Amino acid sequence: MLGGSVYIAFIRYIISLTGVNVFYALMSEARYGRKKTVIYSACFYGAMLVLACIWYIADWENCVKAVAFLMYIGFAVFVVFMSKGPFYLSMYKLAFTYYLLAVFLIGGIEFSLIVCNGNVWADIAARIVLILLIAFFINKYLRNSIKAFGAYVEKELDWFSVTLMIFSLICGIGFILNPGRMDQSPYRFYQMAVTFFLIGVLQLLMFRLYLHIGKEQEYQKENQLMLMNHRLLERQLEVLEEAAESGKRNRHNIKQHHAVITGFAREGQMEGLVQYLKEYEGYVEDMEEEESICENAAVNHILSAYARKAGKEQIEVRMDIELDKELPIPGIDLITIISNAFENAIYGCMEVKKQTPGRECLIHLTIKKKKNKLAIYCSNTCKLETELRKGEPKPEFTGGIGVSSIIKTAEKFDGEYDFKNDAGVFVFRLIINIPQ
């Protein structure tokens, strides 16, 4: 629009590419390290600028018509390849970057035409100032929000919504950069300003919406963790209460045994005393064998508590546990996974009993260690209509807690997990790496 020599065109190309690259970099995370990213970017942008300048000299008329379009297509392909994250999220950030490109391009041209009578250097200076202001604003006020927005959008946003957001940006850019509207009337300037404003406000509202959704999800997870800790404390209190009751019974039994042994000794009935001691020894061995589930004390206590809870609800429990006394996995992480899986299994069985009182319920828990892997399998009777969302059970089928804690702990150890409803039997499987 403002013309100029090849040198002016070269400067504009550099400014435009620098602007969009800075904007996109502030909103995205690179796929490669800093050194490799800088080398690739320098080579790609350098080659593109050289080719654009050669084309400008060789065929000015066609170059002016198409060079910007081709350069920005090349830029789009390059940055999507170089950035980390879902493709559709990269496309949205790219569309938003081009919206900001339209802002400083049109802003520079309008400033030059209105204030400086079309001066080329005024256009270039205005573009540089606008790029710096936009970059400062993004870095100070939007950068963290956009990255958080990206993390939440990746989990919550669907294809229709992101397509609509990109479409709104493209429509706004197309209207603003419409080559058929060359008039510089105040009404035209007003139209562009209002369009810029409305598109920017729309994107800001979407940012805030998904930030709110994401934060709400975080609050729910924190609430789930609090409820999980509450349940664990309840089970530990049950263990302590049962230990206290067991201590009282043992003291009472010791008094009785002492009285019996004293009676045999006073009467000189040595054969009866020996027989009684053998019977008592067998009773003690049976009692210890019945209460021992595995060698790991923490897991043994928590499994005992949950097994007793399931027994009170008339739920059959089968356990096959092979754990060493000591494990490299922190006890709190292991207990988090096991207790949540067992708690959800009990909840699922209780819901089945409410729906179908006569239906028998079973929980089957298997935990085995093999080399540097720990495998956990838990299945339980569940409702036939139990559904999964994104591979996870919906909160209403698990009591609202537990699953997120399991997943978070599993990912901590690069674990692989899955959930499924196998015709009325809910199955949870997990394999985690044991730290060496």
Side-chain angles (χ1 to χ4, degrees):
M1 180 179 290
L2 299 175
S5 65
V6 65
Y7 303 107
I8 299 298
F10 185 72
I11 292 172
R12 282 177 172 161
Y13 296 155
I14 291 177
I15 292 173
S16 298
L17 283 176
T18 301
V20 293
N21 187 65
V22 168
F23 297 158
Y24 191 86
L26 288 173
M27 296 185 288
S28 304
E29 186 177 355
R31 184 189 299 272
Y32 306 105
R34 179 177 296 180
K35 183 178 180 181
K36 186 178 290 187
T37 300
V38 171
I39 293 174
Y40 287 169
S41 299
C43 293
F44 176 79
Y45 296 140
M48 192 160 54
L49 288 170
V50 170
L51 292 174
C53 291
I54 293 173
W55 188 13
Y56 190 91
I57 296 173
D59 188 1
W60 179 85
E61 184 176 355
N62 290 324
C63 178
V64 170
K65 293 179 180 178
V67 67
F69 178 73
L70 294 177
M71 287 179 68
Y72 293 130
I73 288 180
F75 171 80
V77 174
F78 178 73
V79 296
V80 169
F81 171 75
M82 292 292 292
S83 61
K84 185 190 299 183
F87 173 76
Y88 66 88
L89 191 56
S90 297
M91 292 303 297
Y92 170 74
K93 292 178 180 179
L94 188 62
F96 189 63
T97 299
Y98 284 160
Y99 162 75
L100 298 176
L101 166 69
V103 171
F104 73 75
L105 283 182
I106 297 300
I109 292 173
E110 294 296 325
F111 174 81
S112 177
L113 291 172
I114 295 173
V115 179
C116 301
N117 197 28
N119 184 274
V120 172
W121 295 107
D123 170 41
I124 292 174
R127 293 186 187 190
I128 294 174
V129 171
L130 286 173
I131 289 172
L132 293 175
L133 289 175
I134 294 172
F136 173 78
F137 182 79
I138 292 175
N139 187 60
K140 187 171 181 62
Y141 298 105
L142 290 182
R143 186 176 187 180
N144 294 331
S145 297
I146 290 175
K147 289 189 175 181
F149 162 81
Y152 296 143
V153 165
E154 187 176 346
K155 298 177 182 178
E156 304 296 334
L157 192 62
D158 55 23
W159 275 97
F160 176 78
S161 299
V162 76
T163 302
L164 189 62
M165 293 171 67
I166 293 175
F167 183 73
S168 68
L169 286 170
I170 293 175
C171 287
I173 295 170
F175 174 79
I176 295 166
L177 298 179
N178 182 8
R181 297 292 303 276
M182 303 298 291
D183 59 294
Q184 299 300 318
S185 64
Y187 181 70
R188 166 64 175 162
F189 181 78
Y190 172 76
Q191 279 184 317
M192 290 190 299
V194 170
T195 303
F196 275 133
F197 175 76
L198 292 179
I199 294 175
V201 169
L202 174 62
Q203 304 310 310
L204 179 61
L205 290 176
M206 295 302 295
F207 284 161
R208 293 183 65 84
L209 171 63
Y210 282 100
L211 282 174
H212 174 76
I213 292 174
K215 289 179 180 178
E216 185 67 24
Q217 293 292 332
E218 294 295 328
Y219 294 148
Q220 290 180 5
K221 290 180 180 179
E222 291 178 3
N223 185 49
Q224 290 178 7
L225 290 174
M226 292 176 63
L227 291 173
M228 180 202 72
N229 291 332
H230 178 70
R231 287 184 174 181
L232 284 175
L233 288 173
E234 285 181 343
R235 301 297 165 260
Q236 291 175 0
L237 286 175
E238 290 177 7
V239 171
L240 291 174
E241 289 174 358
E242 291 172 359
E245 290 295 327
S246 177
K248 290 180 181 178
R249 289 195 301 271
N250 289 336
R251 287 192 295 271
H252 178 70
N253 291 337
I254 288 173
K255 290 181 180 179
Q256 288 184 333
H257 296 318
H258 182 267
V260 172
I261 292 171
T262 301
F264 278 120
R266 285 177 179 174
E267 297 177 5
Q269 298 179 10
M270 301 306 296
E271 293 183 1
L273 177 60
V274 171
Q275 181 64 29
Y276 176 78
L277 291 174
K278 287 182 179 180
E279 292 176 357
Y280 180 68
E281 183 180 359
Y283 166 77
V284 171
E285 290 177 354
D286 292 341
M287 181 179 64
E288 290 178 352
E289 183 178 355
E290 181 179 346
E291 293 181 351
S292 178
I293 298 175
C294 67
E295 295 182 6
N296 189 285
V299 175
N300 187 79
H301 288 321
I302 203 68
L303 288 179
S304 298
Y306 277 109
R308 286 189 290 271
K309 177 177 174 60
K312 292 177 182 178
E313 301 294 338
Q314 297 182 343
I315 301 171
E316 182 182 354
V317 177
R318 297 175 187 171
M319 289 187 284
D320 183 10
I321 314 297
E322 295 180 6
L323 286 177
D324 298 332
K325 187 175 181 180
E326 300 291 339
L327 281 175
I329 299 176
I332 187 62
D333 293 321
L334 187 58
I335 293 299
T336 296
I337 295 173
I338 295 174
S339 61
N340 279 289
F342 216 142
E343 188 79 46
N344 291 339
I346 293 175
Y347 180 86
C349 290
M350 291 172 64
E351 289 298 300
V352 169
K353 285 185 172 293
K354 291 179 183 178
Q355 186 183 63
T356 314
R359 188 177 172 188
E360 294 184 358
C361 293
L362 169 67
I363 296 175
H364 184 197
L365 178 65
T366 300
I367 305 175
K368 293 190 177 182
K369 174 180 173 294
K370 187 174 182 180
K371 295 183 179 179
N372 65 329
K373 303 286 185 181
L374 182 66
I376 299 176
Y377 170 93
C378 183
S379 65
N380 63 273
T381 309
C382 69
K383 294 180 179 180
L384 293 174
E385 61 269 24
T386 300
E387 299 177 0
L388 302 179
R389 182 179 63 187
K390 296 182 180 179
E392 301 175 14
K394 293 183 177 180
E396 56 265 31
F397 297 111
T398 61
I401 71 169
V403 174
S404 60
S405 300
I406 292 174
I407 293 174
K408 186 175 182 180
T409 307
E411 290 175 346
K412 180 179 177 180
F413 297 95
D414 297 325
E416 298 180 3
Y417 57 87
D418 70 344
F419 305 88
K420 68 176 181 177
N421 180 2
D422 189 6
V425 176
F426 186 80
V427 177
F428 160 61
R429 296 179 296 183
L430 170 67
I431 297 178
I432 58 177
N433 298 311
I434 298 176
Q436 299 298 316

